[in-house]
Amino acid sequence: MKNLLTDIAGVRVGHADDAKLASGVTAVIFDRPAVAAIDVRGGGPGTREGALLDLANTVERIDAIALGGGSAFGLEAGGGVQAWLAEQGRGFRIREAVIPIVPGGSHPTAISATPRRRRPAPNSRSAASAPGSARPPRI
C-alpha cells in the first residue's frame, strides 16, 4: 500500500495535460459502478452532475469522476471521459440507451481567465483511455 487511489481494488486513474494551456484532466475510472456522494462548500463551486449524487435522485452509482483544471471551463473534461465510457458500453441503462454517469469538479485557477487558457487539456478522452498513465493522487 502506497496510500494512493489505485491502492483500492477496482479504481484506475488516468491523466492528460497540456503545458501550453497550463491545464489538465484526471479521470478516476471505476471497474464497476460505484456509490458516491458529494459535499459542496465555498462560494464558487465548480461541479458537474453534482445534483445526481443527491440521495433523492434516481442514479445510485457512478462510472467515473473527472477532475479538470481551468476553472469553470474545466467542467467540460467530464464530456470526454463520458464519451470514452459510452464507447466501452459503460453506463446507466435506460431501455436501449447507455448513459455513463461522470460527475466531476474543476480547480479554480486565476490563469484560466486569459483567452489562450480557456480550455482544459484538449483530449480528456486520453485521460480515461489510459488509466495508469499518471501518478495517482494521494488519498
Side-chain angles (χ1 to χ4, degrees), residues 7-50:
D7 289 343
I8 304 167
V11 176
R12 296 177 291 141
V13 177
H15 180 78
D17 60 55
D18 186 321
K20 290 180 184 176
L21 295 175
S23 190
V25 177
T26 299
V28 180
I29 308 285
F30 304 104
D31 289 345
R32 291 180 304 188
V35 174
I38 189 171
D39 180 24
V40 179
R41 297 178 186 215
T47 61
R48 175 185 196 269
E49 304 287 17

Side-chain angles (χ1 to χ4, degrees), residues 78-97:
V81 176
Q82 188 175 41
W84 183 82
L85 286 165
E87 290 170 1
Q88 312 308 306
R90 297 266 320 266
F92 184 73
R93 298 191 183 278
I94 302 175
R95 296 186 196 128
E96 295 84 38

Side-chain angles (χ1 to χ4, degrees), residues 55-100:
L55 297 176
N57 291 326
T58 302
V59 174
E60 296 178 354
R61 298 181 186 272
I62 64 171
D63 299 291
I65 297 171
L67 305 171
S71 221
F73 292 105
L75 295 176
E76 77 176 37
V81 176
Q82 188 175 41
W84 183 82
L85 286 165
E87 290 170 1
Q88 312 308 306
R90 297 266 320 266
F92 184 73
R93 298 191 183 278
I94 302 175
R95 296 186 196 128
E96 295 84 38
V98 178
I99 304 164

